[in-house]
Amino acid sequence: MLSERIEFHPEAEAEIFSTVAAAPAVFLLRGEDANSEPYVSKTANLRRRLERLLSPPEEQTKRLNLRNRVRLIEYTLTGSDFESGFVLYQILRAVFPKTYSNRLRLRFAPLVKLHLENEFPRASITTRLGRILGKGLPGKNVYYGPFASRLAAEKFLNDALDFFNMRRCVEDLHPDPKFPGCVYSEMKMCLAPCFRGCTDDAYRAEVTQVENFLDSRGESLRRRMAAERDEASAKMEFETAAAIHSRLDKLSSVLQQLPEFVHRIDQLHAVIVQKSLRPESVALFRVDAGAVAGPMEFPISANEHPKSQAASLAHPQSLSQSMEARIQAALASFPAAKPDSAIECAEHLAILKRWCYRGSRAGEIFFADARGDLPMRRLVRGIGRVYKDEAPETALSPKPAQ
């Protein structure tokens, strides 16, 4: 999995260190015993890190030194911290299959789960993905995320459900007309399927509205409420229109809590653009149903001539069509990741969440819309910004499909 291998001999350390690039990398150090545990890590400067680990130890120091234990150096140079982290995850997962998660300190991403398999669906917060993730089967559980924290996910879900009458209890219901109900049914905030306060079809229709709300990132409800407000205003029912407008203001504050990174997981398709180690290129990563694949080196110019590259970046609109075609062709030949299990997909989401919510995040991400179409023009401009090390644009999410 690591691309370079060097045998380490202490007597030839100067020559060995000089052949190693002073660049970011993921590396693995092995001893003579094939059964011994290797040392695996990432670094922003491979040469400096190896010199510190493998040079003669200083007297009276507690710094780790592996000079007399290492006989083989394996490494892969990387172009960005995101690439280093993803490669490190892959290496640790292969080398330490039982302990890699603890070594990486992976924390699964909080998700909103819509329990569509339940006879009376409800929503909850979870960090576990079900086995049917990404199958696209109707009537099965769906997930939305990743959120930055469980607290943020709970607050958004609770505030969002105030606009609907879907149940919030967690029990499996056995409807009984004699059941007294709960505080939500008393406050008319639940259709009360627990005591047959509604028909099954009416409850399913309410659940469908919740699902549409989450799928569209709130736009379905915003459009419906705006239409109701305009209709009430046209009928000169101004008190009703004012009440709906007040609810629209409340809805806007709720939707402001929804990060641009949160999407329905089985429809979460995106492209991440990162710096590349290769000159005149960027590195692309695919995200499909939350699973990450890559990197793929993407040259800025088709002919890879520096003057042509500079011209295309200076005037991206003049060559946007050809660049878009090249990006689409590259992504078509770039296979999507196929996780072996829901756990592996959850780990990819954890890595994605860790990068998305970093304050010092480098690189950009571009999400596909509900139809699966990427914002190609914005992606072209984003590639130019990453290549030139410019600040990213602020709006990362596509507009929902109409």
Side-chain angles (χ1 to χ4, degrees):
M1 190 175 294
L2 295 173
S3 59
E4 304 293 335
R5 294 167 61 100
I6 300 176
E7 291 188 5
F8 178 71
H9 303 286
E11 63 275 8
E13 62 179 26
E15 181 181 353
I16 293 173
F17 293 152
S18 65
T19 62
V20 176
V26 175
F27 67 97
L28 180 150
L29 306 179
R30 296 187 185 273
E32 291 183 351
D33 184 0
N35 296 322
S36 62
E37 185 175 282
Y39 180 89
V40 184
S41 186
K42 66 175 183 175
T43 178
N45 188 317
L46 180 60
R47 181 187 299 169
R48 182 175 60 197
R49 184 70 173 276
L50 292 180
E51 288 176 344
R52 188 168 63 184
L53 289 171
L54 303 178
S55 294
E58 300 176 1
E59 295 183 0
Q60 297 181 346
T61 181
K62 295 182 180 180
R63 179 179 294 177
L64 177 66
N65 189 278
L66 303 174
R67 178 182 178 86
N68 297 322
R69 299 184 181 183
V70 173
R71 291 298 175 264
L72 184 64
I73 304 171
E74 301 179 37
Y75 67 91
T76 291
L77 299 179
T78 58
S80 64
D81 185 65
F82 178 83
E83 181 180 349
S84 294
F86 189 57
V87 173
L88 180 63
Y89 159 74
Q90 294 174 311
I91 298 301
L92 288 176
R93 195 170 191 271
V95 177
F96 303 105
K98 295 183 179 180
T99 61
Y100 69 93
S101 181
N102 290 334
R103 290 172 182 266
L104 285 168
R105 298 181 181 178
L106 280 180
R107 298 293 182 268
F108 287 162
L111 308 169
V112 169
K113 178 180 180 181
L114 197 56
H115 298 253
L116 296 180
E117 288 184 335
N118 194 287
E119 183 180 1
F120 299 96
R122 61 183 179 87
S124 67
I125 306 301
T126 184
T127 57
R128 297 182 179 274
L129 289 171
R131 64 186 182 280
I132 52 84
L133 176 67
K135 301 295 185 181
L137 300 177
K140 301 297 182 181
N141 301 334
V142 292
Y143 302 81
Y144 302 86
F147 286 86
S149 66
R150 191 179 190 93
L151 181 62
E154 288 176 345
K155 187 176 189 315
F156 168 76
L157 180 60
N158 288 333
D159 291 348
L161 289 181
D162 286 345
F163 292 90
F164 301 96
N165 291 323
M166 189 174 74
R167 73 184 182 104
R168 307 197 195 193
C169 52
V170 300
E171 298 85 2
D172 288 334
L173 298 185
H174 303 285
D176 183 356
K178 298 179 181 179
F179 187 74
C182 66
V183 64
Y184 287 105
S185 60
E186 291 289 334
M187 297 171 63
K188 306 300 182 184
M189 297 176 64
C190 176
L191 292 179
C194 55
F195 59 80
R196 293 296 183 187
C198 65
T199 64
D200 291 351
D201 289 342
Y203 189 78
R204 282 285 176 179
E206 189 71 10
V207 171
T208 298
Q209 289 192 29
V210 175
E211 184 176 5
N212 292 339
F213 172 86
L214 295 172
D215 285 353
S216 65
R217 296 174 53 83
E219 286 301 314
S220 63
L221 181 59
R222 190 202 298 271
R223 289 194 297 265
R224 178 162 62 85
M225 292 175 63
E228 292 173 354
R229 178 196 57 189
D230 295 342
E231 182 181 357
S233 180
K235 294 179 179 179
M236 294 192 295
E237 298 173 354
F238 299 119
E239 290 185 1
T240 301
I244 297 174
H245 187 79
S246 177
R247 283 174 58 81
L248 268 171
D249 288 341
K250 181 180 178 182
L251 176 63
S252 296
S253 65
V254 172
L255 297 183
Q256 288 176 358
Q257 303 174 31
L258 189 61
E260 59 267 27
F261 308 109
V262 173
H263 293 264
R264 178 166 164 161
I265 298 301
D266 60 351
Q267 298 175 4
L268 198 168
H269 303 289
V271 172
I272 297 174
V273 185
Q274 293 287 337
K275 298 281 286 185
S276 173
L277 191 67
R278 180 180 175 183
E280 313 300 340
S281 299
V282 295
L284 302 182
F285 293 81
R286 281 187 59 160
V287 182
D288 295 276
V292 182
M296 179 186 70
E297 299 295 333
F298 182 79
I300 296 299
S301 177
N303 56 17
E304 298 187 1
H305 191 281
K307 293 184 179 179
S308 299
Q309 294 159 6
S312 65
L313 290 174
H315 305 284
Q317 66 277 8
S318 63
L319 296 178
S320 61
Q321 289 296 327
S322 60
M323 177 70 87
E324 288 178 15
R326 289 178 53 230
I327 294 172
Q328 290 174 336
L331 293 176
S333 64
F334 185 10
K338 296 182 178 180
D340 295 332
S341 64
I343 293 294
E344 184 178 354
C345 188
E347 291 167 353
H348 284 220
L349 274 174
I351 293 171
L352 185 64
K353 173 242 178 184
R354 178 182 290 179
W355 173 75
C356 285
Y357 293 103
R358 286 184 63 177
S360 58
R361 185 180 68 251
E364 298 192 39
I365 185 168
F366 298 90
F367 294 97
D369 60 20
R371 295 182 295 267
D373 299 327
L374 287 164
M376 297 306 299
R377 292 187 179 180
R378 291 179 48 235
L379 179 53
V380 170
R381 295 194 295 269
I383 288 175
R385 286 192 297 271
V386 172
Y387 174 72
K388 294 185 288 185
D389 202 20
E390 295 179 346
E393 62 182 1
T394 56
L396 300 179
S397 297
K399 294 182 179 179
Q402 300 295 325

